[in-house]
Amino acid sequence: MHITAIVPVFNEARMLPFFLDYYTTFCDYIVVYDGSSTDGSRDVVVDFMNRGLGCEIELRVNRTVGTLDVYNDSYAKCPNLSLHYVRTHGWQSLFPAIEGILEWVLVVDCDEFVWHPDGVRNKLASYKEQGISLPSPSNIQMMAKIFPIPGQKLVNTVTQGYIDWSVDGVKRLAFDTSTKKNYNFMEFGYTVAGENTHNNESIIDRLKVLHYPRLGFDFYKERTKLKGQRLSEDNKKFGLSYHYAEQVDMTEAEFDALFSHPGFVSNIHDPSTYPSFSRFPHEVRTSAKNSIFIN
């Protein structure tokens, strides 16, 4: 089974070592789409490329999020539109590069770790056996009081977070390209009409997306501010990435209150610490917002 991870990046030098250290353990191919970072992100990628880890890493660079082979000039004034283009179409440009062996593709942000206690490869193999080509992973918002020490294994050191039992609780980022060829990225991940997404699986059992932007209050505020500053008028017009603008004023007390979230999980590796609703099928809904990305 072949697994490819695609990650769009802009100024993620602090997160990239954790990301690459994790994904190189089970991926066969990783493509980093760098949007002309200015913080040394590309140096981090090149360092991992030279380590001989057994996972091929490719670096693609452009003036915004995206690359020349997928970039559309009509999206120039709105980085998120180019970002959407990468997420929806970037993986299709990889077929010639890896000679058609593309199978499972994970299109993730640098702070999104696709994870399962039995191993991602094993879980995806199980889905494939069941005919599930577009699973619906549970999204866990991971929390830490301080930013982790470089070199630590993030999924072993930051193990607490919370689950929103809502549409936000699922984000479809993994799909089997040997079964489906046409995926559209919307607000909460990929969608395909009529697709079997295994929605009757409990939160505990299903694949997880561990979301790691909240690695200490200072890091979270700085990251949110930078992302909010990049929002274009088109972002605001269509309500895309609105949460960055909303969360930039979060106080430290509000941040700390998230550790008491009703969906809090104190240890992702211990099923007994998950909230009670995690033991039942997760209601998966599709956001009905008007979007230029629907078609």
Side-chain angles (χ1 to χ4, degrees), residues 80-81 84 88 184-189 191 234-235 237-242 286-295:
N80 251 35
L81 291 179
H84 169 77
T88 301
N184 184 38
F185 191 91
M186 296 178 66
E187 187 174 5
F188 295 105
T191 180
D234 285 322
N235 283 116
K237 177 180 177 181
F238 295 111
L240 304 169
S241 302
Y242 57 89
T286 299
S287 178
K289 292 183 178 180
N290 294 327
S291 173
I292 55 174
F293 296 155
I294 289 178
N295 297 317

Side-chain angles (χ1 to χ4, degrees), residues 84-92 95 103-105 107 132-135 172-186 189-193 195-197 293-295:
H84 169 77
Y85 197 84
V86 167
R87 286 169 168 164
T88 301
H89 302 292
W91 63 275
Q92 295 169 326
F95 277 105
E103 191 171 19
W104 282 99
V105 170
V107 184
I132 306 298
S133 56
L134 184 64
R172 300 186 185 102
L173 300 175
F175 49 90
D176 181 357
T177 62
S178 66
T179 303
K180 295 290 184 181
K181 305 296 184 187
N182 184 22
Y183 291 88
N184 184 38
F185 191 91
M186 296 178 66
Y190 287 88
T191 180
V192 175
E195 178 62 56
N196 180 1
T197 58
F293 296 155
I294 289 178
N295 297 317

